[in-house]
Amino acid sequence: MMTMKKNKYRYTLRLAIDKSIYNYEKKQDLIDFVKKSKVSDVAFFINQEELSDSHITLKKAQELITEIDTISQPLKEMNVTISLNPWTTMNHSDRGLGIRSELDIKPMVSYQGVLSTSMACPGYVGWMEYISDVYAIYASIKPHELWLEDDFRHYKNAPFELGCFCEDHMKKYNAIAHSDLTREEFIKKMFTGEKNKYRDAYLQVARDEILKAASMIEEKVHKVSPNTSMGLMSSWPEIHALENRDWHKLLEVLSGPNTPAVSRPHLPAYNEVSTLQYARDFEKYTVATRTLIGNKHKIYPELENYMYSQYAKSNRFTQFQLETSSSVRADGLLMNLFSMMGVGIDKTYKYDELLAQSKEFADFMYQNGISIEDRDGIIIPMTQKVAKYKIGDGTLHGLMASQTQWLELLAIFGFATRPLDYTDQKFVNETIALTGNFLNTLSNAQITEMIQDNFVLLDGDALIILDNRNLLNLINADSIEVIQPRTGKQVYEQFDGLTLSGVKDSRITLQTHVGAYVKVHYLSDMPKESNAYNRYNELVGPATVANDKFYIMPVGEHEKYGWEGEYIDFREKDLKKCLNVSYLVDMYNCKAIFSGRKIIVSNWSMDTTDGINFKLDKPVSKISITYRDGSKVKNQIIDVSSHNNIYHADFKVPGLAVVYVECLE
């Protein structure tokens, strides 16, 4: 059931102020912007980006927080809450500044043995004491929220990447693994093969020390300011999996008795990208993070327009990011819209007009939206344990395990999707999409049960796991051959005899922008949707296979391109022919979130649709459509026509728009 949210959608402005150039005019610009834009919280940066002085002294921290307290007083008088965004915990990367000799902070060491100049070793108690003391100073002005930046992790910006492998850490890892290895020897074993004691040792230490540091920070902050909520910023789920992040436990540790922690997932477009690419990345990062976090903590996704101005991102794209945050039923946004060098508000961007225009609709979507846990549709399970079981190839990037290929593809094809944080739930008679990386985290018994009790979608990487586990019998097969792309052995799959999108014998590439083709030897004559062919139109083997138990797409993930070759209407139409779930019909690049009779439709392209068309196994005679028109929220009741549970309404959804649909009997 849908849980009603009574509060309004919150705008938080992240803002940098440099006192040396902050004058009356800048002060008035800030006040005017906050009023016009309907911002209700301002999170002031501390020691940020270009103005960062690396790890500052406690005295400097006190000076900075005193300045912010003074600058924020006019906002408090307007009933705007004041939050704080310190920019350094461990530090994001080395930028030429070292660690002050008077601070008890040890530098981090990368997996390649590189000694950092300014990034802190996360397991060193001196740094833990220091950062928790600094945060206690920040808490002294009683901020509404106090954020941990996205440098609060073991994986750092390139070229440094994964830490920490200092001498003290190596002793910890070797003690747990009962080994006596050099860093190079340990790394090789940790990165190679499947689950192993060396990787487990690293993951155990990484999780424990991040929780210990978080606990120390929370304790000191809430001792000073019991009503301040801690906030956790984050980036890519597969990066956090490399440190064995326990999302639930970490947010629990950061929570006070009456101040549950809040979370800031990443919105994956600091600069404007193709909306079609953003559609995929939103599922891969934002939806996946929200799924793993769960529904106990408010989320404020990050909208950042780096390097700022309309040269970085158009206002229409910014507005679309804001309004599609309803897809994860966000509680608001953390918005980094202006330069972090302390210049204040740039009025020429007209962000205040944009934010004011979207506010009423954002409030409506917040109050009436669909939470991930309330969605109907294809279950796409994922787990934060994925790095523990990933089959490594000896490289760091070989441990980065994506689990969202099906989620990205199915969502963009307009299917009802239900991403799920897997904690050993049982499923019966469901439709479940399984990637190889996720499947590899299950026991043989769990795999058997999941496949036998449900309709499952399997990719090429999942077939490789079934072969590794001697479980090919579950799909009536006894062997596979993994054939890499661009070897000349297979170049396309052909849907022999089928007409898809009005094209008979349509083809999808097997040569480029996809991973390996997995040729399966089935024990019985399985119903084939397509076959694989070489350049000379010679049959190589079966490709897509579907029956009343499986949809098998025997294509792996390319390390660079993922499944780009699969984003074509022939794949979409074949999936919709074989899957009995709700979905949009003939609405290119539109997504739909289904829950009972409610549908959120979002158009992630520049094109206006011909109407709203959807498959739903419920009787519908009319639909109620709520949408934004300028700054107003409007509603229309429209009759629908239908054929075989596919409904059509004459309502055109503009490009980069979100509409809320209720299906009426």
Side-chain angles (χ1 to χ4, degrees):
M1 293 179 61
M2 186 177 72
T3 54
M4 291 298 294
K5 298 200 173 191
K6 297 179 181 179
N7 297 323
K8 293 184 177 181
Y9 187 91
R10 190 189 77 180
Y11 291 157
T12 291
L13 176 67
R14 300 167 78 197
L15 191 66
I17 295 293
D18 185 344
K19 186 183 178 184
S20 68
I21 58 172
Y22 189 70
N23 54 24
Y24 175 81
E25 182 181 358
K26 291 181 185 291
K27 171 185 173 182
Q28 197 57 48
D29 287 345
L30 173 57
I31 291 172
D32 291 345
F33 181 87
V34 168
K35 286 180 179 178
K36 293 176 183 177
S37 64
K38 304 184 186 297
V39 161
S40 56
D41 182 81
V42 175
F44 285 99
F45 282 107
I46 304 174
N47 190 39
Q48 74 285 345
E49 197 66 67
E50 291 89 352
L51 302 184
S52 173
D53 205 15
S54 189
H55 302 281
I56 57 177
T57 63
L58 301 189
K59 180 181 178 183
K60 182 65 175 178
Q62 186 63 61
E63 291 174 6
L64 292 176
I65 202 66
T66 300
E67 291 175 4
I68 289 173
D69 193 34
T70 301
I71 290 168
S72 66
Q73 290 308 312
L75 298 176
K76 291 181 180 179
E77 293 169 7
M78 297 161 54
N79 292 320
V80 173
T81 55
I82 302 303
S83 296
L84 298 175
N85 185 173
W87 194 74
T88 300
T89 61
M90 297 177 202
N91 217 347
H92 298 260
S93 61
D94 289 331
R95 304 193 177 198
L97 300 175
I99 298 173
R100 289 173 172 79
S101 58
E102 64 265 40
L103 299 179
D104 187 19
I105 299 175
K106 262 182 38 176
M108 182 183 279
V109 176
S110 80
Y111 75 102
Q112 295 174 315
V114 176
L115 181 68
S116 170
T117 58
S118 64
M119 290 181 283
C121 169
Y124 183 57
V125 69
W127 169 76
M128 292 187 187
E129 292 287 359
Y130 160 79
I131 196 62
S132 52
D133 286 343
V134 167
Y135 265 71
I137 291 171
Y138 296 152
S140 66
I141 69 166
K142 307 295 191 288
H144 178 59
E145 287 163 354
L146 180 50
W147 289 92
L148 287 167
E149 252 288 351
D150 188 33
D151 65 332
F152 191 64
R153 54 179 162 97
H154 292 69
Y155 188 92
K156 298 300 175 181
N157 294 350
F160 192 87
E161 299 184 314
L162 194 66
C164 177
F165 294 90
C166 65
E167 289 186 8
D168 287 343
H169 268 108
M170 289 310 307
K171 290 177 182 177
K172 292 179 184 178
Y173 304 149
N174 276 314
I176 294 171
H178 302 290
S179 57
D180 186 21
L181 302 178
T182 65
R183 178 184 52 78
E184 293 84 355
E185 293 168 337
F186 186 88
I187 288 294
K188 184 177 180 180
K189 291 181 179 293
M190 173 183 165
F191 287 179
T192 303
E194 298 188 55
K195 183 180 184 297
N196 60 70
K197 66 178 183 179
Y198 308 100
R199 197 184 304 173
D200 284 349
Y202 174 82
L203 294 173
Q204 177 184 325
V205 171
R207 173 178 286 190
D208 289 348
E209 62 194 17
I210 209 82
L211 290 173
K212 181 178 179 182
S215 178
M216 290 173 66
I217 293 168
E218 181 276 329
E219 183 178 358
K220 291 182 183 179
V221 163
H222 286 135
K223 184 176 181 180
V224 173
S225 182
N227 295 323
T228 292
S229 295
M230 294 299 302
L232 177 67
M233 299 186 177
S234 58
S235 53
W236 300 359
E238 59 260 44
I239 282 178
H240 291 300
L242 286 177
E243 65 176 13
N244 202 23
R245 173 162 288 189
D246 184 335
W247 291 101
H248 298 177
K249 182 66 173 177
L250 181 53
L251 287 165
E252 177 186 317
V253 164
L254 289 171
S255 298
N258 302 306
T259 52
V262 296
S263 170
R264 185 226 68 180
H266 173 56
L267 287 183
Y270 278 16
N271 304 118
E272 185 161 339
V273 296
S274 159
T275 54
L276 307 185
Q277 183 62 50
Y278 183 59
R280 305 175 198 178
D281 291 343
F282 184 85
E283 304 295 321
K284 184 179 183 67
Y285 302 125
T286 312
V287 175
T289 302
R290 165 60 181 83
T291 300
L292 293 166
I293 287 170
N295 62 355
K296 293 183 179 179
H297 299 270
K298 290 184 177 181
I299 62 165
Y300 299 98
E302 172 194 40
L303 195 162
E304 175 146 0
N305 292 7
Y306 186 77
M307 295 177 64
Y308 315 108
S309 88
Q310 280 71 46
Y311 289 112
K313 193 182 293 181
S314 65
N315 278 15
R316 188 67 195 91
F317 188 92
T318 295
Q319 191 168 37
F320 183 64
Q321 286 190 286
L322 188 167
E323 294 180 356
T324 50
S325 70
S326 61
S327 298
V328 288
R329 209 176 184 195
D331 297 270
L333 282 183
L334 273 175
M335 304 176 297
N336 196 12
L337 303 175
F338 302 106
S339 165
M340 293 175 74
M341 289 179 273
V343 300
I345 305 297
D346 188 324
K347 293 177 286 188
T348 67
Y349 301 170
K350 298 184 179 180
Y351 288 144
D352 50 356
E353 297 176 15
L354 179 161
L355 293 170
Q357 188 180 65
S358 287
K359 188 61 168 66
E360 185 179 340
F361 185 65
D363 287 344
F364 173 85
M365 293 301 295
Y366 178 60
Q367 293 162 7
N368 298 280
I370 300 170
S371 298
I372 282 180
E373 291 76 16
D374 296 328
R375 289 187 184 189
D376 300 330
I378 303 166
I379 295 172
I380 297 119
M382 58 191 75
T383 171
Q384 196 59 28
K385 299 185 296 184
V386 66
K388 183 187 290 280
Y389 298 92
K390 179 71 165 66
I391 302 174
D393 60 4
T395 68
L396 169 62
H397 290 267
L399 289 189
M400 292 187 185
S402 59
Q403 307 171 83
T404 60
Q405 300 95 299
W406 280 119
L407 177 62
E408 297 166 56
L409 188 74
L410 295 168
I412 286 150
F413 284 168
F415 281 96
T417 58
R418 182 154 55 110
L420 180 132
D421 180 18
Y422 183 71
T423 53
D424 299 331
Q425 297 96 323
K426 305 289 186 183
F427 306 110
V428 178
N429 296 328
E430 299 280 4
T431 300
I432 305 179
L434 301 172
T435 63
N437 285 330
F438 170 76
L439 200 68
N440 198 37
T441 68
L442 305 182
S443 69
N444 284 5
Q446 287 174 311
I447 292 173
T448 300
E449 187 176 65
M450 196 170 287
I451 291 178
Q452 288 183 340
D453 292 349
N454 302 280
F455 181 93
V456 295
L457 291 84
L458 299 168
D459 63 3
D461 295 318
L463 297 175
I464 293 171
I465 300 304
L466 292 181
D467 182 51
N468 291 347
R469 302 287 192 90
N470 296 314
L471 293 174
L472 284 173
N473 61 296
L474 294 173
I475 59 168
N476 299 320
D478 64 356
S479 65
I480 64 171
E481 180 184 359
V482 180
I483 309 176
Q484 296 301 323
R486 301 188 183 185
T487 57
K489 295 182 179 180
Q490 79 282 350
V491 298
Y492 63 84
E493 66 172 295
Q494 179 169 299
F495 292 86
D496 294 313
L498 292 181
T499 299
L500 301 170
S501 288
V503 177
K504 188 174 182 180
D505 298 332
S506 57
R507 296 173 177 175
I508 300 177
T509 184
L510 284 174
Q511 176 170 275
T512 185
H513 289 67
V514 290
Y517 157 60
V518 181
K519 179 180 177 181
V520 182
H521 181 258
Y522 293 101
L523 294 172
S524 58
D525 188 19
M526 297 285 280
K528 293 188 288 292
E529 297 291 301
S530 65
N531 290 291
Y533 292 88
N534 66 16
R535 168 65 187 85
Y536 305 103
N537 304 326
E538 296 168 336
L539 179 67
V540 179
T544 302
V545 166
N547 59 17
D548 60 353
K549 293 295 294 180
F550 322 114
Y551 186 93
I552 300 174
M553 186 182 79
V555 176
E557 181 189 28
H558 191 280
E559 63 179 7
K560 179 179 180 181
Y561 297 111
W563 281 357
E564 279 189 14
E566 295 298 335
Y567 286 82
I568 188 167
D569 55 350
F570 303 138
R571 177 63 68 193
E572 174 204 350
K573 294 299 193 297
D574 190 61
L575 280 161
K576 288 177 178 176
K577 180 174 76 72
C578 297
L579 272 60
N580 184 27
V581 295
S582 298
Y583 50 73
L584 298 178
V585 178
D586 296 330
M587 295 179 69
Y588 278 104
N589 299 302
C590 290
K591 297 183 189 178
I593 297 169
F594 290 80
S595 180
R597 291 182 167 273
K598 301 179 187 296
I599 314 171
I600 296 174
V601 178
S602 48
N603 185 351
W604 298 69
S605 78
M606 302 294 184
D607 300 324
T608 299
T609 69
D610 293 331
I612 296 178
N613 316 301
F614 58 94
K615 178 178 184 281
L616 184 69
D617 292 336
K618 298 179 187 298
V620 181
S621 62
K622 301 176 186 291
I623 60 172
S624 167
I625 306 174
T626 305
Y627 58 97
R628 180 177 63 79
D629 183 4
S631 61
K632 299 298 183 183
V633 175
K634 293 188 176 180
N635 177 266
Q636 289 186 38
I637 307 295
I638 298 179
D639 290 330
V640 299
S641 58
S642 65
H643 178 70
N644 292 335
N645 289 331
I646 293 177
Y647 297 95
H648 169 78
D650 288 325
F651 183 92
K652 295 184 177 182
V653 182
L656 307 188
V658 178
V659 299
Y660 183 83
V661 176
E662 292 185 82
C663 299
L664 309 176
E665 292 189 52

